[in-house]
Amino acid sequence: MNVGLFIPCYIDQFYPNAAIATLNLLSRLGITVKYPVNQTCCGQPMANSGFEHLTQGCNDLFIDNFSEFDYIVSPSGSCVLHIKDHLHSAAAEDKASGIRKKVYELTEFLTDVLKVDKLSARFPHKVGVHQSCHGQRGLMLAQMTELVDAPFSKPLHLLKMVEGLELVELSRPDECCGFGGTFCVAEEAVSVKMGKDRVADHINHGAEYITAADMSCLMHMEGILRRQNSNVKVLHIAEILNAQ
Amino acid sequence: MSSGTKDHAALSDIFNKDEARVDWHDETLWFVRAKRDKAAHNIPEWESLREAASQIKNNVLSNLHNYLIEFEEQAQKNGVTVHWAADAAEHNQIVHSILKEHGVNRLIKSKSMLTEECHLNEYLKQNEIEVIDTDLGERIVQLAQEPPSHIVLPCIHKKKEEIGELFHEHLGTPEGMADPVFLTAAAREHLRETFLTRKAAITGVNFAVAETGEFVVCTNEGNADMGAHLADVHIACMGIEKIIPKRKNLGVFLRLLTRSATGQPITTYSSHFKKPRPGQQMHLVLVDNGRTTQLSRPDFRNSLKCIRCAACMNTCPVYRRSGGHSYHTAVAGPIGSILAPNLDMKEYSDLPFASTLCGSCSNVCPVKINIHEQLYKWRQVIVKEGYADPTKKLAMKAMEFTLSSPFVYKNAGKVGRWFMKHAPFTVNNKLNLWYQHREMPEVPKESFEEWYKKNKKND
């Protein structure tokens, strides 16, 4: 199995540990992963701001870097959703459509492709799970509270295999954290208020850690937690699934 | 209604100065959303109902012309006078001319978002005609001289103490009285007197049945019925998208509407109006006001399926924390943000950006409008049409330059991280909107790419 590792720009620059954990986790599960070093960004910040027409450079780079792999795996639901929904190329549309079908967020790759049913991981802490909107509603990583259907959650399925980990229940299990890409600065007041409320739900239920399949939501919540001098930490789900 | 130069972000910033009020607003609406969830989960076939409603509306939108003609013919047969208005101005003129014809200068109106959209109240006021809104929430915002902040709960932004003050000033209730039961009784008395003395009543329309020419008005207070039953002239104003093909389709929509809106199993009054009673005149004004333009935009035509339940507002984490007035348009929230740019792209160019694209709005929508996808698409249209903020434009160009080249990206990353680490004041200052209420991420000693090159490349 030929797997390409797609590490979004902000994880590359600010959260290398989440990327290293993803790489190590996949390696421990027997998967050989290759990281194309010339990757930059999926183009989502531009596209979501209305500048989709400026993303061709990113799209072309992405296609160059990733079209040869059987699977593309990334520790970021939001970026994966962007690629799935919006990666196009007039010059290489067949390659683009191939990529759209074989790009996976890490937890869905573990659950749906590798069908992981046990993990040797240990994390004896109280953990709140932030179900990021793009992962949950966009990639359908978990059932959404608005829809009438049976519950499921790919991230929770995996976290339940971690020894010692105690999941905390939230009052609002799938409320948006307010990061929203450029929304976090363009609508700073609402974004921060949403983040504060999201963080408070976790704190009120005794979480020591907040985890997610999207580092971007965690970056926003971490910024708020640190401003509040809170002891609650954020950790990407790969770091927990890989914890010993 | 227009906010002048203020946009959603600026207006929300003001709303967020009072955090306790934001919490209260958020919790009140969340309570309604939770009720909606409970009501929806009590119907095992809920998702099939949504699909059925969506398909019926697809049929309507694809055959709108024919259904409208059928509806007009049937309504005329029933003795209703049908008017057509191309836009808000024509709608207002038609209503005014009917009132003039009957020498009416005071009238009552039940809740109608279309008349809000057309600014009918202001228009009639300028023409010295007094309008009294009879929906309690509408009456409260009318007394406060404010537009509604929510399409189903027009005064949801007001606390009971503030309503007490308004009633004290306008209806003579005791000062400091904020008991909802007492205030409601006072409003009822005031409105009863109004119902009995007005010769003309305006109502909205929730559903218009092409097959029979009848229309259905849904209220929880029965105020539409009281107005229309007592008045000599009943004027009903409807957007042309309110058509449904057959009476039998109604069941689907009535089951969805109130559960989505308030979590109730059914609206208290779903009143069918078909023909005027002897001696009464019934007028129907069918209004386009941009709807056919929206119908002609393939990416946005779905927005015309909306049955105005407001579920998208109640679930929207941004609406709950910014308030309806921050949208500066008659229909606020996610649905308003995809309807308003069709009316005036420049004035409402901010609204499609007032969202995190979390997608909850699309999930609660009883007619399955892909709201968050349309928000994304509007953003592309608005930027292409030249309504993007110039600073944002520059930032995006810079981003394109940086991210299109691995070399530039890696160097920019290195330089950026160096500055954050060694000269934090260049980043941690008040010009950085992220930093105002959040810390910047801690700078790692190397990027993942640097780590990978050192540790893994030759594995």
Side-chain angles (χ1 to χ4, degrees):
Chain A
M1 193 190 284
N2 185 12
V3 176
L5 184 61
F6 157 35
I7 298 300
C9 49
Y10 71 98
I11 295 187
D12 173 40
Q13 294 296 325
F14 295 121
Y15 297 97
N17 287 342
I20 296 168
T22 304
L23 183 65
N24 290 343
L25 178 62
L26 288 167
S27 305
R28 282 176 52 211
L29 291 164
I31 306 296
T32 312
V33 182
K34 217 178 140 204
Y35 173 73
V37 290
N38 277 338
Q39 57 184 293
T40 60
C41 165
C42 64
Q44 184 180 202
M46 291 180 276
N48 280 7
S49 305
F51 293 79
E52 200 183 68
H53 59 285
L54 297 182
T55 59
Q56 202 52 57
C58 286
N59 286 351
D60 292 340
L61 253 185
F62 200 92
I63 292 166
D64 283 350
N65 280 317
F66 287 105
S67 52
E68 296 312 313
F69 293 102
D70 302 328
Y71 293 99
I72 301 150
V73 178
S74 175
S76 170
S78 184
C79 305
V80 167
L81 180 68
H82 175 74
I83 293 295
K84 251 190 200 312
D85 283 352
H86 303 294
L87 183 82
H88 289 284
S89 166
E93 190 51 31
D94 52 333
K95 284 185 178 172
S97 85
I99 287 176
R100 294 200 302 271
K101 287 185 202 113
K102 62 192 182 186
V103 63
Y104 283 82
E105 180 280 326
L106 175 66
T107 65
E108 73 174 335
F109 183 73
L110 297 180
T111 312
D112 297 354
V113 180
L114 299 186
K115 304 197 188 301
V116 169
D117 56 11
K118 61 175 186 299
L119 280 168
S120 58
R122 189 167 178 278
F123 194 73
H125 297 285
K126 283 184 156 188
V127 177
V129 178
H130 173 69
Q131 308 258 25
S132 74
C133 307
H134 283 183
Q136 183 176 19
R137 298 199 184 87
L139 297 172
M140 287 176 267
L141 297 184
Q143 178 56 30
M144 298 140 256
T145 50
E146 304 96 5
L147 298 179
V148 177
D149 213 339
F152 71 94
S153 166
K154 292 171 192 179
L156 290 181
H157 169 71
L158 294 165
L159 286 169
K160 282 178 184 160
M161 298 174 196
V162 177
E163 195 193 319
L165 185 143
E166 190 185 334
L167 288 167
V168 301
E169 284 217 13
L170 302 175
S171 304
R172 299 184 188 181
D174 53 12
E175 174 104 318
C176 175
C177 70
F179 171 66
T182 53
F183 180 87
C184 72
V185 288
E187 293 254 2
E188 183 261 342
V190 179
S191 171
V192 165
K193 180 60 184 146
M194 287 168 70
K196 281 163 85 174
D197 291 352
R198 197 78 289 255
V199 160
D201 198 356
H202 288 268
I203 295 174
N204 294 341
H205 289 87
E208 298 166 64
Y209 288 86
I210 302 176
T211 192
D214 256 299
M215 201 65 226
S216 51
C217 308
L218 292 176
M219 173 170 74
H220 166 63
M221 289 193 275
E222 182 188 45
I224 288 166
L225 286 165
R226 285 184 37 225
R227 181 62 59 93
Q228 294 174 347
N229 293 317
S230 168
N231 293 325
V232 175
K233 299 257 179 285
V234 303
L235 264 187
H236 188 272
I237 193 166
E239 295 175 83
I240 293 182
L241 299 178
N242 202 41
Q244 295 306 307
Chain B
M1 197 90 94
S2 157
S3 63
T5 56
K6 292 247 160 63
D7 66 0
H8 183 271
L11 292 164
S12 319
D13 197 24
I14 298 167
F15 189 70
N16 273 269
K17 298 273 183 246
D18 183 351
E19 193 170 352
R21 180 177 279 269
V22 177
D23 287 335
W24 167 80
H25 191 261
D26 166 57
E27 277 156 23
T28 310
L29 288 158
W30 183 262
F31 174 75
V32 183
R33 172 180 153 190
K35 270 180 75 188
R36 172 258 167 222
D37 288 353
K38 211 172 156 197
H41 285 265
N42 276 334
I43 307 277
E45 70 275 23
W46 181 258
E47 300 303 333
S48 333
L49 264 181
R50 289 175 72 217
E51 182 58 28
S54 175
Q55 294 297 344
I56 295 167
K57 283 285 183 181
N58 274 338
N59 176 349
V60 169
L61 295 180
S62 300
N63 301 286
L64 190 58
H65 172 84
N66 296 338
Y67 286 128
L68 282 168
I69 297 298
E70 185 186 352
F71 176 69
E72 181 186 36
E73 271 174 20
Q74 294 305 321
Q76 283 171 341
K77 266 191 213 162
N78 298 336
V80 179
T81 312
V82 178
H83 309 260
W84 296 85
D87 54 24
E90 195 178 358
H91 161 264
N92 293 348
Q93 283 153 15
I94 290 169
V95 172
H96 188 204
S97 67
I98 299 168
L99 297 172
K100 262 203 299 209
E101 198 185 310
H102 291 86
V104 171
N105 59 6
R106 306 194 307 168
L107 70 137
I108 47 170
K109 183 159 82 53
S110 83
K111 196 154 151 13
S112 146
M113 288 319 295
L114 176 73
T115 59
E116 290 293 333
E117 176 188 318
C118 297
H119 303 297
L120 178 71
N121 284 17
E122 291 96 309
Y123 173 85
L124 291 179
K125 198 175 166 189
Q126 278 160 17
N127 286 283
E128 288 165 4
I129 293 175
E130 182 207 55
V131 183
I132 295 214
D133 275 305
T134 57
D135 171 274
L136 181 55
E138 286 276 340
R139 183 66 186 138
I140 291 165
V141 288
Q142 192 181 32
L143 291 176
Q145 296 185 310
E146 287 174 16
S149 71
H150 185 284
I151 61 173
V152 172
L153 313 158
C155 69
I156 196 71
H157 59 292
K158 287 219 172 294
K159 296 189 176 184
K160 59 182 193 296
E161 291 76 18
E162 293 163 333
I163 296 166
E165 269 175 52
L166 272 174
F167 278 22
H168 169 64
E169 187 186 332
H170 295 279
L171 308 181
T173 52
E175 198 168 2
M177 170 54 80
D179 173 36
V181 176
F182 184 91
L183 294 178
T184 311
R188 172 190 284 247
E189 208 166 296
H190 154 69
L191 287 173
R192 285 285 153 114
E193 195 272 329
T194 317
F195 283 125
L196 289 167
T197 52
R198 298 302 188 267
K199 299 263 176 281
I202 294 181
T203 68
V205 170
N206 288 86
F207 304 100
V209 185
E211 175 190 33
T212 59
E214 76 201 287
F215 57 94
V216 178
V217 181
C218 303
T219 70
N220 275 323
E221 297 163 18
N223 54 315
D225 308 64
M226 293 225 270
H229 292 165
L230 287 163
D232 301 334
V233 184
H234 175 186
I235 306 170
C237 303
M238 63 176 267
I240 53 174
E241 83 284 14
K242 296 281 179 183
I243 289 277
I244 59 169
K246 295 192 182 301
R247 201 185 237 179
K248 71 172 185 194
N249 303 137
L250 255 179
V252 172
F253 293 101
L254 291 179
R255 290 184 78 194
L256 288 165
L257 178 66
T258 328
R259 284 185 173 90
S260 300
T262 59
Q264 290 166 258
I266 194 78
T267 317
T268 315
Y269 301 89
S270 297
S271 308
H272 294 236
F273 293 94
K274 191 170 178 184
K275 52 179 75 173
R277 64 172 193 274
Q280 190 200 31
Q281 275 199 16
M282 200 178 269
H283 293 265
L284 252 176
V285 191
L286 291 144
V287 184
D288 181 340
N289 203 34
R291 284 160 177 77
T292 48
T293 312
Q294 191 85 321
L295 190 66
S296 71
R297 301 182 199 266
D299 285 343
F300 306 110
R301 75 195 293 253
N302 247 343
S303 62
L304 296 173
K305 290 179 178 176
C306 177
I307 56 172
R308 303 289 192 268
C309 69
C312 62
M313 298 176 196
N314 303 336
T315 203
C316 178
V318 176
Y319 175 91
R320 278 188 263 114
R321 292 176 184 82
S322 60
H325 289 157
S326 66
Y327 292 82
H328 58 95
T329 175
V331 181
I335 183 68
S337 299
I338 58 174
L339 292 173
N342 174 59
L343 285 171
D344 186 338
M345 211 184 293
K346 185 166 186 277
E347 171 78 10
Y348 303 117
S349 60
D350 55 322
L351 295 186
F353 296 90
S355 164
T356 60
L357 306 181
C358 80
S360 186
C361 47
S362 304
N363 274 350
V364 293
C365 179
V367 288
K368 289 194 167 181
I369 303 170
N370 53 336
I371 303 176
H372 74 293
E373 288 170 9
Q374 292 192 34
L375 289 167
Y376 176 88
K377 285 179 174 166
W378 264 126
R379 294 179 185 191
Q380 314 306 328
V381 174
I382 283 163
V383 167
K384 279 227 169 103
E385 297 285 329
Y387 299 119
D389 175 61
T391 338
K392 203 186 232 179
K393 232 189 247 175
L394 275 177
M396 291 295 152
K397 286 264 182 204
M399 210 181 254
E400 179 196 23
F401 174 75
T402 310
L403 298 174
S404 297
S405 154
F407 177 78
V408 180
Y409 160 76
K410 287 180 206 317
N411 283 302
K414 219 177 258 175
V415 171
R417 279 182 286 122
W418 188 91
F419 271 100
M420 283 171 70
K421 199 165 193 150
H422 302 286
F425 59 89
T426 55
V427 181
N428 298 349
N429 58 53
K430 64 176 183 203
L431 292 173
N432 176 359
L433 289 167
W434 174 281
Y435 184 70
Q436 293 196 355
H437 297 98
R438 283 165 292 213
E439 293 296 316
M440 294 294 288
E442 273 168 352
V443 183
K445 66 178 195 294
E446 58 194 354
S447 72
F448 174 69
E449 188 249 355
E450 288 160 353
W451 176 89
Y452 186 83
K453 276 187 173 160
K454 264 194 247 164
N455 295 281
K456 290 280 173 180
K457 196 149 186 216
N458 301 318
D459 272 14

